[in-house]
Amino acid sequence: ISPDPPLAESNIIISALVTNSSESAMTAEDVWVRFYLGDPQNGGIQLGEDIYIESLAPGEQASVAATSVFECGEYTVHAAVDPLALIGEFDEDNNLSSTSFHVYSGPSITGTLSLDAGSYSAYEDIGISVSATNTGDLTASAVAELYVEDGTGQPVETIQPLHFNEITPGETMISNTGWNTQGTLSGEYRIHLVLREGEDTLTEQLVPFTIESMLTLGSLVSVDKQEYDICEEVAIMAQATNTSPNYEYEDLTLDLEIYDPDSNLIDAIS
C-alpha cells in the first residue's frame, strides 16, 4: 500500500507481485489479476478493471497495481490471480492474497495567537503566546511565523519563528516569545501569525494592539545679551525639542510672552 501512511481523499495505490512458481518449464499465458475490497468469496467488491499479463515464464514475476480513494478507516483488500480459474495449475490455493491497512485523515494542525495585553507604552515588552493543536490522527510538525505590522498591514518587524516538533494526535503545544515596542511610533498595530507545515499554510490570525503615545516636549528661550539700551532690538531665540520616544508632533506653535519687572505683560509673540 502506498503512500505510507495512506491518507483519506487521496489516491491510494494497491500493489501485488504475481509469480509463476511452477517447477516445470511451463509458461503461464493470458494471466488475469483482479483486486477486491473485502474477501471476494464473501461479498468483496472489485476495485478497478481486470489487469492482463500476457505471459509469465517459470520463476518470472510481474507487478500489478490498482488505484482507489478511501475514507478514513480500516480496510482489507485482496488480489486474486486467475479469478475465473481459466489456467490449469498444480496448486490453486495460493492465488489469493490480502493485506489490511488503516486510512488516516492526516495531520490537522490549528494555531491560536494571543497577547498579554491590548495596549503598550514605549520600550515595553509584548508577551506573545502561540498554541498549536493537532486535531488529526497523525503526528506532525509546524512552524509559526510571526510578523509585526502596522494597522494597514505594512511590515514593521519579523519575529523569530516558533517551532512545534512532532505534535501527536490530540496534543496541544504552547510556545511563548515577545517583542519590545522600543521607539516604534504610537498608533494601531497587529501581530500576524502564519502557521505552516512545510510550504502549506495551516492557520493565519491577526491580533491587534495599540502603542500609546508618550507626549513630552522640551522648550528653551534665550536672548542675545543681558542688557540693552532704550529702543534697542532684542534678539530672541526659541527652541522646541521633541522628547517623546514614540510620537511625532506636527504644526506646533510656540507662544512667547514678554513681561516687565512688575510682571506686567508687554508683548506676546507666536
Side-chain angles (χ1 to χ4, degrees):
I1 304 296
S2 64
D4 184 20
L7 300 178
E9 305 300 334
S10 61
N11 286 333
I12 296 174
I13 302 173
I14 307 156
S15 302
L17 190 63
V18 181
T19 304
N20 181 355
S21 58
S22 172
E23 296 180 358
S24 66
M26 295 182 62
T27 295
E29 297 181 351
D30 299 326
V31 180
W32 291 91
V33 183
R34 184 179 296 171
F35 287 93
Y36 292 92
L37 176 59
D39 189 346
Q41 299 174 349
N42 192 26
I45 301 172
Q46 183 173 345
L47 295 175
E49 303 292 332
D50 289 351
I51 300 171
Y52 177 71
I53 303 173
E54 185 175 356
S55 64
L56 282 175
E60 185 179 4
Q61 296 179 323
S63 180
V64 294
T67 300
S68 190
V69 176
F70 297 85
E71 300 291 337
C72 295
E74 298 286 340
Y75 296 92
T76 299
V77 292
H78 291 71
V81 178
D82 189 27
L84 300 180
L86 300 177
I87 301 174
E89 301 178 65
F90 292 107
D91 185 0
E92 297 280 355
D93 295 331
N94 61 357
N95 287 0
L96 190 65
S97 179
S98 67
T99 188
S100 297
F101 58 96
H102 182 88
V103 176
Y104 296 88
S105 64
S108 180
I109 301 176
T110 58
T112 302
L113 169 67
S114 61
L115 306 182
D116 61 348
S119 63
Y120 303 87
S121 59
Y123 295 96
E124 184 175 357
D125 288 327
I126 297 177
I128 302 169
S129 180
V130 178
S131 65
T133 301
N134 186 355
T135 59
D137 52 10
L138 287 175
T139 297
S141 300
V143 176
E145 300 175 358
L146 295 166
Y147 306 95
V148 182
E149 300 173 344
D150 67 16
T152 65
Q154 293 301 308
V156 175
E157 191 170 333
T158 299
I159 302 173
Q160 190 74 16
L162 302 175
H163 294 267
F164 298 88
N165 297 320
E166 296 187 350
I167 311 172
T168 59
E171 181 183 10
T172 296
M173 285 187 179
I174 299 175
S175 187
N176 299 312
T177 187
W179 181 72
N180 190 281
T181 60
Q182 301 182 70
T184 305
L185 291 178
S186 60
E188 300 301 318
Y189 292 87
R190 64 193 192 185
I191 302 294
H192 185 181
L193 165 68
V194 181
L195 189 67
R196 298 187 190 277
E197 181 186 17
E199 298 297 322
D200 297 329
T201 299
L202 305 174
T203 300
E204 284 198 64
Q205 185 183 355
L206 300 172
V207 175
F209 67 94
T210 301
I211 298 179
E212 301 290 348
S213 302
M214 292 183 65
L215 302 178
T216 56
L217 275 172
S219 62
L220 178 66
V221 178
S222 62
V223 293
D224 58 339
K225 58 183 181 179
Q226 294 298 311
E227 295 182 359
Y228 299 87
D229 294 329
I230 296 175
C231 297
E232 184 178 357
E233 185 171 316
V234 178
I236 303 172
M237 285 73 71
Q239 174 182 297
T241 302
N242 183 359
T243 57
S244 170
N246 69 350
Y247 185 79
E248 290 184 350
Y249 294 91
E250 296 181 359
D251 300 324
L252 288 175
T253 299
L254 187 63
D255 295 326
L256 298 176
E257 294 179 344
I258 303 171
Y259 293 86
D260 66 15
D262 295 325
S263 300
N264 297 312
L265 181 64
I266 300 175
D267 198 1
I269 305 170
S270 292

